[in-house]
Each structure stands twice: as C-alpha cells, then as structure tokens.
Amino acid sequence: MGNKLKIWFVTPQMTMRPKEYNHFGDRESYSIYLARNATEGCQMSIISLEGARKNMSVEIVNDCDAGFTVELLREHYVSCDGALFPDPVVPNDTTFDLEEMKSVTYLINIVTNPDTKPGGYGIKVILRQDGEIYGEYDIWVTVWNFAIDHSALMETAFGMERSFLEKICKPADIDECYKKYYDFMLERYHICAGFLPYDILDARADEYMNNPAVKSFRIPYNAKPETVTAYYNKLKTNPEWLKKAYYYVVDEPQCMADYERIEKAYEFIEKYHPNHAQVVPFYMNPRDGEGKKAIDLLSRHCKVWCPKISMFKDDYMGKFMLEREKLGDRTWWYYCWEPGYPYSNVFIDMDNFYHRTIAWQQYLYGINGMLYWSVNWWKHGSPWDVTTTVPELSNYCFGDGSLLYNGDEVGIDGPVGSIRMEILRYSIEDHYMFSLAEKAFGREYIVNEISKVTSCVYRYTDIHWLLDDIRRDIGNKLNEYYGNC
C-alpha cells in the first residue's frame, strides 16, 4: 500500500523492536494453524518510512461461524539499559500515532475452544487513518480436529509476591488483588502461582485444589507440629490434593550446611506429614563436600526433582531424571537470572524464539514441570520503568523474575501480560501436542521433529522460522491421524 507506510506480518517467534522492519519482505497476510482449545498468533507491524502519522487504528473483522475469538494486543516497549524492547501486551489498545521510523506492533491471537469447528477460515485486519480505511489484510486460520486438554498440561510453579503487589498496585484488598493475578496466570497462561489465593485450611481453597488445571500448590512451611499436622489432616482427605501439594523449604543448596537444613526440615515435616513431597531447586554440587553430588544428597528427600536447566549440559542429568520419573517422582527444571544464551530463558531482550523452545526442550528431555522463582519481582520499582530487576546479581539481566505488569499504569484494574508469557502459553500447549504425537507415531518421531529445531539445551537451528514449519507439520500429521480414527 504505497512506499511510505509499510505493514507486514511475522511469526510470533521474532522479537519486533521499534525500528525493526521487513525481515522477510512485504508479507501482508499470514496463516495460523492451531488445535481446538488452544491459542496461537502472529504479529502485525506498521511503520512510517517518512513523516509521522496521526489517528491510526486497527480493527479485526471475524465473520467466521467457527466458534473462535480473536485477541488484539498492543506490544508496548520498555527500556533495557536504553534499548527499547516489546514486552507488555495491552488489550483493546487499538488507536495509535506513528513516529517516523518507529514501528507499532500488535500480537494477534486466535483463541479456540473445545467446540470450535475444525477447518479453514479467513479473518480481516483493517487499518484506518482518520477513520478512513487505509488497507485490509488477510489472516488465514486452520483449526485442526484435535484438542488441547488443559487438565493434562505440564506442571508449573511460578512464584508471586504479595508484598510487591501491595507496594506497586496499592490495592484496597491485597487478598483480592493476589487472587486476580493468580486467576489471570492460571486461566490465561496455564501457570500456577506457588501459593493458592487462600490458605489451604480455608474452605475457599477447596475450589482451587479441586480444579484439574491447578497441577501444583505450595504448602506454607511453619515449624510448628500443630500447623503441619493441620495441613496434612485436610490434604489427606483427598488423594488428588496430596498429589499436587509440595513443600519448598531450602532454595539452591550450595554447601553441606544447606543439606543439613534440608535434612532437618525433612525429618520434621515427615514426622507430621508422612510421605510428603518436597522440591529443592539446585544447580551445583556442594562446594565443601568433596566427591559428593547433589543428586545423591537429595535422593532421600526429593519427590519433586528440580535442577537448573544448565545442569543438563551433562548427559548424566537427563538420564538421572528419566530414571527418577520411572520410579514415580515428579521431574521439573527451573530458570532464574541465569543461564543466559545459548540456553533458553525468559529475558526481555532475548528473542521470542528462545521462549518458545523452553517447553520443546522439556519434552525432548522428558521433563514434566517448570519452576520459576517470581513473576512480579518489583523490588526496585514499577516493571514499566525498571527492567534491571536483580542489579545485585547483574546489571544486564532484564526482566528476570518479572513476567507481569501492573495494569493500573494503563488504566486496567488487574494484571497486564507480557509477550514472554504469551509465547510460554504457546509453548506449554505445544508440549501437550507433542504428547499426542508420541502416542500416535512413537517417541522416535517426535524427538526427531523437535531436534530439527533444538537438539539439546544449548543447540538450535539457525533458521528460527523453521519452528513454525515443524509445528505445522506435526499438527497436520495429527489432524490427518485423528481424521482417520
């Protein structure tokens, strides 16, 4: 549509910075493939190559009688040491002005439900200036005839801090605020915060513990026999509650004294809550325990194994985790302010491709859960203003522990998501699709397909858009399989 204003669509795996332009030519349409009960998207960028543009707006026209909805999310920019990167995704932010050579990007999500009709559909994206249509663009949607089962997705345990919600959001009711953020993560992103919105002993917690989408929840640790006993007495009334519940007492043991603390806590809890599950995230062998390995020291205490992803650089960890899974243990892994590239992580300045490969690598290694330390570590200020979240560890670690935004900054009563969380949602659903493919076509098939994109925790294809092709091929093969069942 002319030479001075450019509109193009790209894969969600690309991080579209404000001056990014035209990596793959003028692509003024896009094709999205997804299962029923799933979400998948694309990005639409608009840039003025000459002069500013005022009073622009975007509209989605969805006349399909298929039973899916379309989300339009504006990607806002935050500063990473002066460099702008997209991260907050704001809904219903459909009007904008264009500065010269500074693009505006939208994430367009297709959201299906269990009853969405499989098939091919078309929707329109309409761009206006001063109320007049500037251009119309096509998004072609293919809905596969299999569904993502939200009750069978991987386990997640992401920390969320009440104190920072209270500090930054300043809610009238912190409990209601925490619940709003908890529900947002669970319902939108399939992610469980560590602690439930209500204490386990509160009858209101039962609804969450009964919810099949809630795969895990943390038991508050209190070194009082009567408290541990009270939690256990309630949880044991429902075997499913007991399966989901875990203790998290010691984080990242580094020396033998830390393992002594783990042993002491284990013995105490076990006395009043027999056969309890405890998670101990770890990333190293004890520095003062010559010849001792973390996995040996934890073998008595852990039923939820959670090494840092960087430990999988050695083959023994992957093999060990598979052995523990066969023994009935739960297998998780975790990220934090490290590792950085070439490992996947969820830093703001890391390309979206690496966020998407997180659950791909989990499936490759047979890992069924993901732990992350915090989604709102706003210790040093508002996430809209401060992205260097752990300066005591690194001045160049952007967005670590901060995956959500406080909505009051943009007139929203509640949380605002991030492009990183949107990509994680896609990845978690991919993980389930891989399980369907393994059941249909065998483990060797799906490992070979994933390995075309990422063959281990530090190796990837140089062609990042290949991920879309591999995902589409797997989905199309499943679509054909289920069509013949």
Side-chain angles (χ1 to χ4, degrees), residues 76-124:
H76 285 238
Y77 302 115
V78 292
S79 173
C80 297
D81 197 32
L84 295 179
F85 285 84
D87 199 45
V89 285
V90 179
N92 305 317
D93 188 0
T94 58
T95 61
F96 60 94
D97 295 331
L98 279 176
E99 300 175 33
E100 182 177 322
M101 291 304 298
K102 184 177 179 181
S103 59
V104 167
T105 299
Y106 284 89
L107 178 67
I108 302 172
N109 277 335
I110 307 298
V111 184
T112 60
N113 60 61
D115 299 318
T116 299
K117 300 174 185 177
Y121 306 93
I123 63 174
K124 289 285 186 184

Side-chain angles (χ1 to χ4, degrees), residues 155 157 216-219 244-253 262 266 269 276-282 298 301-307 330-334 370-372:
E155 296 179 327
S216 70
F217 56 88
R218 183 174 172 180
I219 307 171
K244 297 177 181 183
Y246 66 91
Y247 280 94
Y248 183 172
V249 181
V250 177
D251 185 49
E252 297 189 323
I262 293 168
Y266 176 83
I269 298 170
H276 74 280
Q278 189 169 158
V279 60
V280 182
F282 65 99
L298 293 172
H301 313 109
C302 280
K303 290 186 175 64
V304 186
W305 288 91
C306 192
R330 293 148 77 181
T331 55
W332 297 359
W333 68 15
Y334 78 102
M370 183 192 314
L371 180 143
Y372 191 73

Side-chain angles (χ1 to χ4, degrees), residues 100-394:
E100 182 177 322
M101 291 304 298
K102 184 177 179 181
S103 59
V104 167
T105 299
Y106 284 89
L107 178 67
I108 302 172
N109 277 335
I110 307 298
V111 184
T112 60
N113 60 61
D115 299 318
T116 299
K117 300 174 185 177
Y121 306 93
I123 63 174
K124 289 285 186 184
V125 181
I126 299 176
L127 180 65
R128 288 187 170 88
Q129 183 172 13
D130 294 322
E132 299 295 323
I133 293 179
Y134 181 87
E136 298 184 10
Y137 311 93
D138 293 312
I139 295 181
W140 306 107
V141 179
T142 297
V143 179
W144 293 316
N145 61 2
F146 59 90
I148 302 299
D149 183 354
H150 291 184
S151 68
L153 298 174
M154 69 165 69
E155 296 179 327
T156 53
F158 282 39
M160 188 161 66
E161 312 294 329
R162 285 177 181 263
S163 61
F164 295 137
L165 290 179
E166 194 167 23
K167 175 184 175 182
I168 301 297
C169 304
K170 297 180 176 60
D173 184 339
I174 183 58
D175 292 334
E176 182 60 30
C177 180
Y178 184 92
K179 181 181 184 300
K180 192 175 292 185
Y181 276 70
Y182 184 101
D183 292 346
F184 179 77
M185 286 208 301
L186 180 66
E187 294 166 6
R188 183 170 184 84
Y189 296 124
H190 316 303
I191 288 174
C192 297
F195 292 112
L196 297 171
Y198 305 107
D199 186 80
I200 292 168
L201 301 179
D202 190 322
R204 293 174 295 177
D206 297 7
E207 180 182 354
Y208 285 93
M209 294 190 294
N210 286 328
N211 186 344
V214 176
K215 305 295 193 310
S216 70
F217 56 88
R218 183 174 172 180
I219 307 171
Y221 178 62
N222 185 308
K224 294 181 180 179
E226 60 270 25
T227 305
V228 178
T229 300
Y231 285 135
Y232 175 63
N233 284 341
K234 178 170 182 178
L235 292 171
K236 72 179 182 181
T237 64
N238 188 322
E240 290 302 314
W241 294 356
L242 273 178
K243 288 179 185 178
K244 297 177 181 183
Y246 66 91
Y247 280 94
Y248 183 172
V249 181
V250 177
D251 185 49
E252 297 189 323
Q254 301 178 32
C255 58
M256 291 305 297
D258 293 331
Y259 286 95
E260 291 171 7
R261 289 171 55 216
I262 293 168
E263 173 70 19
K264 184 177 179 180
Y266 176 83
E267 291 288 354
F268 172 75
I269 298 170
E270 190 67 11
K271 186 175 180 179
Y272 304 102
H273 183 152
N275 203 33
H276 74 280
Q278 189 169 158
V279 60
V280 182
F282 65 99
Y283 71 99
M284 62 181 291
N285 295 320
R287 62 169 64 98
D288 59 347
E290 185 175 352
K292 296 183 183 295
K293 287 187 176 182
I295 56 175
D296 296 326
L297 293 167
L298 293 172
S299 61
R300 180 167 177 259
H301 313 109
C302 280
K303 290 186 175 64
V304 186
W305 288 91
C306 192
K308 187 181 288 186
I309 182 177
S310 52
M311 295 195 79
F312 287 78
K313 67 181 183 297
D314 299 319
D315 289 342
Y316 87 90
M317 184 55 70
K319 294 176 182 177
F320 172 80
M321 294 289 274
L322 288 173
E323 290 171 0
R324 299 310 303 191
E325 184 183 24
K326 290 177 183 176
L327 292 172
D329 291 349
R330 293 148 77 181
T331 55
W332 297 359
W333 68 15
Y334 78 102
Y335 303 76
C336 56
W337 74 280
E338 60 174 13
Y341 183 83
Y343 296 92
S344 293
N345 209 313
V346 285
F347 303 134
I348 293 172
D349 59 337
M350 181 173 271
D351 197 69
N352 292 346
F353 169 83
Y354 297 100
H355 312 326
R356 186 74 182 253
T357 57
I358 285 175
W360 289 52
Q361 291 178 343
Q362 281 190 234
Y363 202 88
L364 192 66
Y365 283 89
I367 304 300
N368 296 313
M370 183 192 314
L371 180 143
Y372 191 73
W373 70 286
S374 178
V375 297
N376 67 321
W377 191 255
W378 302 334
K379 180 179 180 179
H380 302 285
S382 166
W384 299 86
D385 303 321
V386 179
T387 58
T388 309
T389 47
V390 286
E392 63 275 14
L393 297 173
S394 171

